[in-house]
Amino acid sequence: MKNSNAAEFMTRVPLKLSPTTDIVDAMHALLKRRTPEAPVVDDSGKLVGMLSETDCLKVLCAEAFEGTPEGRVADYMSRAVDAISPGTNICDIVSRFQDNSYRRIPVEDENGHIVGQVSRRDILLAFEAMRDNPRLYGTKDQHLDLEDSPGVDRAMKRARAR
């Protein structure tokens, strides 16, 4: 697992927002996609910020004091973004999550274009998938009883059976 990198388990087509998108429309998009944050990209596809649920709470405060929420994504987004490359090692990604409060890290190519994002859940699912694969995690006799352990493969089998 320590040799895994961001490209192996990142979300390849995340919700992308424009800095000029109306903030209420952006909040609706976050809610509709059930995502806690989304990268903000300019017209050329380069990462310029992130809009999170925390950023959206600022909109609610502004509405409470000033009336109808107004503005664009650029007015509320976080501009300081800690992006990684597709080759970033999983241990480095875990360390960044432990040192910061964000839930997703954008992945950008060498030209600064967003190619995906990695969430805490992506890392946990990658680990769980490896545990469910006896070729990667050892044999059933050596490590765990795959029939009795929770995991992605087991959860998928249960979901398909419904």
Side-chain angles (χ1 to χ4, degrees):
M1 176 117 184
K2 66 181 178 180
N3 294 330
S4 296
N5 60 43
E8 294 175 38
F9 50 84
M10 69 183 183
T11 303
R12 297 200 183 275
V13 185
L15 169 66
K16 297 176 191 173
L17 299 170
S18 166
T20 59
T21 300
D22 179 78
I23 190 64
V24 175
D25 293 338
M27 289 169 56
H28 176 73
L30 288 175
L31 291 170
K32 185 176 179 182
R33 294 282 301 263
R34 295 179 180 232
T35 184
E37 57 195 340
V40 181
V41 297
D42 63 16
D43 291 337
S44 68
K46 289 191 178 187
L47 184 66
V48 295
M50 292 287 285
L51 184 72
S52 69
E53 291 172 335
T54 303
D55 297 323
C56 292
L57 291 176
K58 297 173 193 172
V59 177
L60 299 178
C61 288
E63 178 183 11
F65 293 109
E66 300 169 15
T68 307
E70 295 180 357
R72 304 281 172 213
V73 168
D75 300 329
Y76 296 96
M77 71 182 188
S78 301
R79 294 181 188 281
V81 179
D82 186 16
I84 58 175
S85 72
T88 302
N89 181 287
I90 192 168
C91 294
D92 294 335
I93 298 169
V94 169
S95 177
R96 287 182 193 216
F97 278 128
Q98 289 176 326
D99 294 341
N100 298 285
S101 62
Y102 38 76
R103 299 164 96 182
R104 295 172 187 261
I105 301 174
V107 180
E108 60 185 8
D109 66 14
E110 61 277 353
N111 298 319
H113 294 100
I114 185 123
V115 294
Q117 62 187 11
V118 174
S119 70
R120 295 174 185 174
R121 180 171 298 269
D122 292 332
I123 291 175
L124 294 172
L125 288 171
F127 174 73
E128 197 63 30
M130 290 180 70
R131 284 188 64 217
D132 278 354
N133 186 339
R135 288 187 215 152
L136 297 176
Y137 203 78
T139 66
K140 181 176 177 179
D141 294 336
Q142 290 175 321
H143 291 285
L144 56 121
D145 184 355
L146 294 177
E147 290 302 315
D148 292 331
S149 70
V152 175
D153 290 347
R154 174 109 187 215
M156 291 303 291
K157 289 175 188 172
R158 283 195 314 262
R160 288 185 191 125
R162 291 183 185 166

